[in-house]
Amino acid sequence: MAEINTASATGRGRGDVRRKVHSTRVDMTPMVDLGFLLITFFMLTTTLAKPKTMDLTMPRADGDSMALPDSKALTIMLGSRDRVAWYEGMGNDPANPPQVQYSSFAARNGIGDVIRSKRRQVMEKFGKNELMVLIKADNTSNYKNVVDIMDEMLINDVARYAMVDITGQEKGFLQ
């Protein structure tokens, strides 16, 4: 509360003029209490922002690896200067080398169209979304391209994809 001290000072100075000296003192205790109550109220009533994380499914350590048919696989290779190469299948048959095609992220008919086309083929053939995309980034590719291809997986509703090491033969395809 505010208090005003009205005690008068008496003194004989020039002339016999009496002055009243008023001192004002404001008690800040109620205002501080109110401030802490408001801070406590807002802290308890606000919802805290949940951190945005990406769900990551790691392979199991036990058991054999599962075979993947070439008709369900799409391999995407990321190179330097926004260059993208892809082929259908796994590319692990030396007798039948993959048919590699090239594009860039800036192209009109880019990698998103390729993913949608392959996903549609898998849906027609197997009746469900079983497309598996293998993403292989070269040492010369940049982080932005990796993030962009992950965004394409999310946009095109590709549930199964994996980041895989690039082979020497595939590095040659990017040259």
Side-chain angles (χ1 to χ4, degrees):
M1 300 285 207
E3 296 178 5
I4 299 176
N5 189 1
T6 57
S8 62
T10 59
R12 301 198 178 228
R14 298 184 274 158
D16 203 6
V17 179
R18 293 186 179 190
R19 297 189 277 167
K20 289 186 177 182
V21 177
H22 299 286
S23 76
T24 58
R25 181 179 164 270
V26 177
D27 187 14
M28 298 295 286
T29 306
M31 190 178 300
V32 171
D33 289 343
L34 180 66
F36 279 114
L37 284 172
L38 286 174
I39 289 172
T40 305
F41 173 75
F42 286 118
M43 283 178 57
L44 294 176
T45 57
T46 38
T47 57
L48 299 176
K50 294 180 181 175
K52 294 183 179 181
T53 58
M54 182 175 66
D55 293 331
L56 185 62
T57 306
M58 298 299 288
R60 292 176 34 185
D62 59 338
D64 295 332
S65 61
M66 195 171 85
L68 179 68
D70 282 347
S71 58
K72 292 183 181 180
L74 176 68
T75 302
I76 300 173
M77 299 172 291
L78 305 174
S80 62
R81 297 186 305 270
D82 297 339
R83 187 171 176 155
V84 180
W86 75 90
Y87 58 86
E88 293 186 10
M90 302 280 290
N92 54 3
D93 184 12
N96 191 10
Q99 301 294 323
V100 180
Q101 298 177 9
Y102 300 94
S103 181
S104 70
F105 280 100
R108 185 173 185 269
N109 294 331
I111 194 68
D113 291 337
V114 173
I115 295 169
R116 284 186 287 276
S117 172
K118 182 65 178 177
R119 184 173 174 266
R120 202 173 312 115
Q121 288 174 6
V122 171
M123 289 282 283
E124 289 171 2
K125 188 171 184 178
F126 297 101
K128 54 185 174 177
N129 186 11
E130 291 188 350
L131 173 64
M132 177 67 179
V133 178
L134 303 173
I135 303 167
K136 300 181 178 188
D138 190 15
N139 292 338
T140 60
S141 64
N142 59 18
Y143 185 72
K144 178 188 175 299
N145 291 343
V146 175
V147 171
D148 287 344
I149 201 69
M150 299 285 250
D151 285 343
E152 287 292 337
M153 297 300 118
L154 183 65
I155 291 168
N156 294 307
D157 194 29
V158 176
R160 296 174 23 175
Y161 56 91
M163 294 290 294
V164 184
D165 291 333
I166 192 166
T167 64
Q169 180 187 12
E170 291 167 335
K171 284 183 182 181
F173 292 148
L174 289 173
Q175 299 302 327

